[in-house]
Amino acid sequence: MPNAFVDKIRSYVPLTPEDVLILTAACENVRKVPARYDLIREGDKPESVFVVLEGWACRYKILPEGGRQIVAFLIPGDFCDMHVSVLDEMDHSIATLTSARIAMISHREIEALIDSRPSITKAFWRTQLVDEGVLRAWIVSMGRRDAHQRVAHLLCELYVRLRVIGLAVNGRCEIPLTQIVLADSLGLTPVHVNRVLRRLREAGAMTNEGGKLVIVNVEQLANIAGFDDNYLHRKLRRVA
Amino acid sequence: MPNAFVDKIRSYVPLTPEDVLILTAACENVRKVPARYDLIREGDKPESVFVVLEGWACRYKILPEGGRQIVAFLIPGDFCDMHVSVLDEMDHSIATLTSARIAMISHREIEALIDSRPSITKAFWRTQLVDEGVLRAWIVSMGRRDAHQRVAHLLCELYVRLRVIGLAVNGRCEIPLTQIVLADSLGLTPVHVNRVLRRLREAGAMTNEGGKLVIVNVEQLANIAGFDDNYLHRKLRRVA
DNA sequence: CGCGTTTTTGAAGCCCCTCAAGTGTAGTGG
DNA sequence: CCACTACACTTGAGGGGCTTCAAAAACGCG
């Protein structure tokens, strides 16, 4: 049975069959969750670590005036805050964007993994550093790129991340995000996102099929965005 | 002899006298560095962990078109990327903003600390989670706050962080950043930062003394920014 | 004292927002 | 099978916040 979490960890470090068994066992507590469901809210005391096995989720913050800012997208294999138990409460919320399968791992199990499995611990560190790199890249985008570059850059990031987990092939992948969600993550309005997407569509970089956004030409998006994949520590093009 | 690094760690967890000795010893390799000096550049292979003992530094990225985006400020006590050795190369650069004293700790020493000192390890985790919280807060600011709120929010963040290390008292502190640096961190132009600062000055929230920006009324800034200190896991007002 | 950098101020313009209305499209229930 | 509803998407018109360009004043450092 495929497990996105195991696959992700394996993409960072080699795993022994025993490692795989232990990781798989850690994911036994699985919940099916509908779209737009809050897994945890700002202010809550975290009780366990979430692992996305299937579907999409996001971290977000709500502002006093009511606006929402998404600060990260979580795709299959992603997990959150293995050390978060050392802080009192969440400083942001996490919600699903599509229906999803979520594994919940207790802190005790996570710490047991960290204490007993050096290679898994190393993989955890790597994922954390990559996540921070993504946060920094978002800041760069919001600070110094215009709307077109910004949209294109996000799509490139998502493409690379999806390709790693086998959900993108030949410069093509599906992204189940509404224009409203995109706007909330990019610091734009849905109206403007709509106009930007239209131009990207007209340029032949993407299409809109069945309510989903489909990337059909990453190269072009990368050109528009000035995308450099170094911060993901993965390559946009698979090296031969 | 005071050590900002030890003080910061101590602000997160209780330290035994032995812990203090070990941390102090780890900082023996100190360099004096002038302002605007690159400690490490994007693409470099990191060789050690930097700790800011005195002065200010920043993480930044240069865009293809030449613009600079600052993605984090480092103040005394801050250190960077204890696990960074697990990645091949830096995805951003780090430079001083003022003249500074920087301690350099080898990865071997860091890992020895992590392996042998549980309380210090816990403090490292906390600092990392707080740093991530700051990155997310920056994204929220850039995405959903206008220029006035954005400037005010950054000043509030810096105030809280400075207060923790004893560099702010009674709602007042000095910030040695030029308007150009502020602009590069906020995703604005220096011209507009100037206009925003003028209004904050006229409102009595801050002043400009001797080339330094001085916060004189944090409460007011917090009101303008809609500042919520939860993400720093420290209080804006010291609790009685 | 002189020079480079930062700060300041003005004027014009554009990118993106706001407001508004209309068009799909999927799911629901009669 | 077709209203009916709830969203998301689309498109237009007008406005405002921030940028760009330009130039002068003030500062700080050798």
Side-chain angles (χ1 to χ4, degrees):
Chain A
M1 175 181 176
N3 179 314
F5 182 48
V6 176
D7 291 344
K8 172 164 179 173
I9 300 297
R10 196 185 354 235
S11 76
Y12 282 103
V13 297
L15 292 181
T16 66
E18 200 186 349
D19 288 333
V20 173
L21 281 179
I22 291 178
L23 280 173
T24 307
C27 291
E28 68 179 357
N29 183 12
V30 177
R31 290 168 59 191
K32 278 225 63 148
V33 179
R36 296 155 199 262
Y37 180 87
D38 273 332
L39 295 170
I40 191 166
R41 289 210 182 85
E42 181 167 354
D44 287 355
K45 166 83 185 153
E47 311 250 312
S48 66
V49 172
F50 300 111
V51 181
V52 179
L53 296 179
E54 234 181 276
W56 286 56
C58 70
R59 301 173 190 271
Y60 70 94
K61 274 198 166 198
I62 299 293
L63 291 163
E65 307 90 51
R68 174 174 75 157
Q69 178 64 46
I70 292 173
V71 294
F73 288 116
L74 304 174
I75 63 174
D78 289 346
F79 58 101
C80 18
D81 314 313
M82 54 176 167
H83 292 144
V84 86
S85 59
V86 301
L87 292 180
D88 318 331
E89 56 177 57
M90 291 291 288
D91 58 22
H92 63 280
S93 306
I94 301 178
T96 56
L97 293 168
T98 68
S99 65
R101 283 179 51 236
I102 309 287
M104 308 183 56
I105 309 181
S106 72
H107 294 130
R108 208 176 327 99
E109 282 178 280
I110 289 286
E111 270 154 41
L113 275 176
I114 290 175
D115 289 343
S116 65
R117 298 275 139 188
S119 63
I120 292 177
T121 305
K122 190 170 177 184
F124 283 179
W125 290 349
R126 289 183 107 122
T127 63
Q128 182 139 10
L129 287 170
V130 171
D131 287 349
E132 276 178 50
V134 171
L135 288 174
R136 283 190 285 263
W138 279 37
I139 292 173
V140 173
S141 258
M142 311 195 81
R144 294 284 167 238
R145 281 190 253 263
D146 68 23
H148 282 82
Q149 297 175 313
R150 217 132 109 200
V151 171
H153 198 276
L154 176 61
L155 295 181
C156 287
E157 177 201 310
L158 294 176
Y159 174 83
V160 172
R161 290 171 58 192
L162 288 169
R163 192 173 61 64
V164 171
I165 58 175
L167 294 180
V169 278
N170 300 331
R172 185 189 166 87
C173 70
E174 291 188 357
I175 297 180
L177 301 180
T178 67
Q179 296 178 6
I180 295 173
V181 168
L182 284 175
D184 280 349
S185 71
L186 292 164
L188 299 168
T189 56
V191 173
H192 200 61
V193 168
N194 182 280
R195 292 192 234 267
V196 170
L197 288 179
R198 176 152 63 106
R199 283 192 45 188
L200 292 179
R201 227 182 294 132
E202 287 166 359
M206 45 148 295
T207 63
N208 228 333
E209 294 169 18
K212 277 178 184 159
L213 197 153
V214 181
I215 295 177
V216 297
N217 188 341
V218 221
E219 306 283 345
Q220 200 173 356
L221 290 174
N223 281 337
I224 294 170
F227 183 75
D228 179 346
D229 54 20
N230 69 336
Y231 73 97
L232 292 167
H233 301 274
R234 314 234 91 124
K235 292 292 163 231
L236 176 57
R237 297 192 64 93
R238 191 188 300 273
V239 285
Chain B
M1 175 178 174
N3 180 316
F5 182 47
V6 176
D7 291 345
K8 173 165 178 173
I9 300 298
R10 193 180 5 228
S11 77
Y12 282 102
V13 296
L15 292 181
T16 66
E18 199 186 348
D19 288 332
V20 173
L21 281 178
I22 291 178
L23 280 173
T24 307
C27 291
E28 67 178 356
N29 183 12
V30 177
R31 289 169 60 191
K32 279 224 64 148
V33 179
R36 295 155 199 263
Y37 180 87
D38 274 332
L39 294 170
I40 191 166
R41 291 210 182 85
E42 181 166 353
D44 288 355
K45 168 81 185 156
E47 310 250 312
S48 64
V49 171
F50 299 111
V51 181
V52 179
L53 297 178
E54 234 183 276
W56 286 56
C58 69
R59 300 173 190 271
Y60 71 92
K61 273 199 168 198
I62 299 292
L63 291 165
E65 306 91 51
R68 174 174 76 158
Q69 178 64 45
I70 292 174
V71 294
F73 288 116
L74 304 174
I75 63 174
D78 289 346
F79 59 101
C80 20
D81 314 312
M82 53 176 168
H83 292 143
V84 86
S85 60
V86 300
L87 293 181
D88 317 330
E89 55 177 59
M90 290 291 290
D91 57 22
H92 63 280
S93 306
I94 301 179
T96 56
L97 292 168
T98 67
S99 64
R101 283 178 52 234
I102 308 288
M104 308 184 56
I105 309 181
S106 72
H107 293 131
R108 208 176 326 99
E109 282 179 281
I110 288 287
E111 270 154 41
L113 276 175
I114 289 175
D115 289 342
S116 64
R117 298 275 138 188
S119 63
I120 292 177
T121 304
K122 191 170 178 185
F124 282 178
W125 289 350
R126 290 182 105 121
T127 62
Q128 182 140 8
L129 287 170
V130 171
D131 287 349
E132 276 179 48
V134 171
L135 289 173
R136 283 190 285 263
W138 279 37
I139 292 173
V140 173
S141 258
M142 310 194 81
R144 292 285 166 236
R145 279 189 255 264
D146 68 22
H148 282 84
Q149 298 175 311
R150 216 132 110 201
V151 171
H153 198 276
L154 176 60
L155 295 182
C156 287
E157 176 201 310
L158 294 175
Y159 174 83
V160 172
R161 290 170 59 191
L162 288 169
R163 192 173 62 62
V164 171
I165 58 175
L167 294 180
V169 278
N170 300 331
R172 184 189 166 87
C173 70
E174 291 187 357
I175 296 180
L177 301 179
T178 67
Q179 296 177 7
I180 295 172
V181 168
L182 283 175
D184 280 348
S185 71
L186 292 164
L188 300 169
T189 56
V191 173
H192 201 60
V193 167
N194 181 278
R195 292 191 235 267
V196 170
L197 288 179
R198 174 152 65 105
R199 283 191 46 187
L200 292 178
R201 227 180 294 130
E202 287 166 358
M206 46 147 297
T207 63
N208 228 333
E209 293 169 19
K212 278 179 182 156
L213 199 153
V214 181
I215 295 177
V216 297
N217 189 341
V218 221
E219 305 284 345
Q220 201 173 354
L221 290 173
N223 281 337
I224 294 169
F227 182 75
D228 179 345
D229 54 20
N230 68 337
Y231 73 97
L232 292 167
H233 301 274
R234 318 232 88 127
K235 292 295 164 224
L236 177 57
R237 299 190 62 94
R238 190 188 299 275
V239 285

